[in-house]
Amino acid sequence: MTVHRNEGAPPDEATPQPHGSYGDDRYPSPRAMRRRLAFLVDWLLHIGVFFGLLIGLLPAHLATKTLFGIALLAWIAVSFLHRVVVQSIWRTTLGKRLFDLEMVRPDDGGRPDFKFLATWWGIGLVAAITSFSGPKPIVGEVMRRYPRFPCAVRTRDIKSRARALGLDG
C-alpha cells in the first residue's frame, strides 16, 4: 500500500491519507463542484420540508413557537433519515446521486455503515448548532480535529478501483 502524506504533516510523520480526501490519487476524478452542488440539493430538500411543514401547519392556528418547533424537529428528522438511513442503504443521498457521488469510509474506502454515518451526522449537527452560538464557526475546527472526515467520491472511481482490485464480481 502506498503511504500518502497528510497535507501539513511533517515529512518524518507520514501517515496513510484518508480515502477520498482531496489529492488522493486513488480517486482522481474532479468532484469539488459536484460535492457543493450535491450538498445544496440535499440542503434544499431538508429546508423544503421545514418550510413546507411551516406553511402547511399555518391554518392550524398553532402558537408560533409550537409551529416553529414542529417544523424544526421535522427538518432534523428528515436530515437524519436522508443522510444516515438512506445513505447507509444506498451509499448516497439524492443530491449525491444526481451528481454521481458516493460516500466512502476514510480508513479503507469501503461502504460507510449506519454507526459511522450517525456519528458524523451528530458531529455535523453539533458543529452547525455551535456555529450559530459563538463568534467563530466551529465547522472548520471539527474538520481539523477529526481528519477522518467522510468523503464523497465519484462513483466511476469506486467502480474503477473495485475492478483494479478484482472486486467487481
Side-chain angles (χ1 to χ4, degrees):
M1 179 175 121
T2 304
V3 174
H4 298 272
R5 192 171 313 285
N6 285 336
E7 189 175 317
D12 57 327
E13 294 183 28
T15 57
Q17 182 179 26
H19 280 259
S21 60
Y22 288 114
D24 183 355
D25 56 3
R26 296 169 289 197
Y27 306 92
S29 301
R31 62 186 184 272
M33 182 57 70
R34 288 172 182 268
R35 285 180 63 174
R36 289 182 190 104
L37 292 171
F39 175 82
L40 180 63
V41 168
D42 290 341
W43 187 82
L44 288 172
L45 173 68
H46 303 167
I47 198 76
V49 168
F50 173 80
F51 282 114
L53 209 58
L54 204 60
I55 292 166
L57 290 175
L58 278 177
H61 302 293
L62 297 171
T64 304
K65 286 184 180 180
T66 303
L67 184 64
F68 185 80
I70 291 170
L72 185 60
L73 287 176
W75 180 12
I76 291 170
V78 167
S79 173
F80 182 83
L81 288 171
H82 189 228
R83 296 196 55 222
V84 176
V85 176
V86 168
Q87 204 160 220
S88 68
I89 296 169
W90 287 290
R91 195 181 197 162
T92 190
T93 61
L94 177 63
K96 288 181 187 84
R97 176 57 59 215
L98 289 173
F99 293 98
D100 191 39
L101 297 171
E102 293 183 21
M103 293 296 290
V104 294
R105 278 194 322 265
D107 56 344
D108 63 3
R111 176 182 288 278
D113 62 8
F114 184 88
K115 181 181 176 187
F116 176 83
L117 293 168
T119 300
W120 278 102
W121 180 86
I123 290 170
L125 180 65
V126 169
I129 290 169
T130 56
S131 290
F132 292 109
S133 64
K136 78 172 197 180
I138 195 171
V139 176
E141 180 61 32
V142 167
M143 291 178 79
R144 278 188 294 282
R145 184 171 292 168
Y146 299 99
R148 298 291 184 201
F149 194 78
C151 294
V153 298
R154 297 281 299 271
T155 302
R156 70 181 183 186
D157 288 343
I158 293 171
K159 290 178 181 175
S160 173
R161 197 166 147 66
R163 275 192 302 277
L165 295 172
L167 304 172
D168 59 341

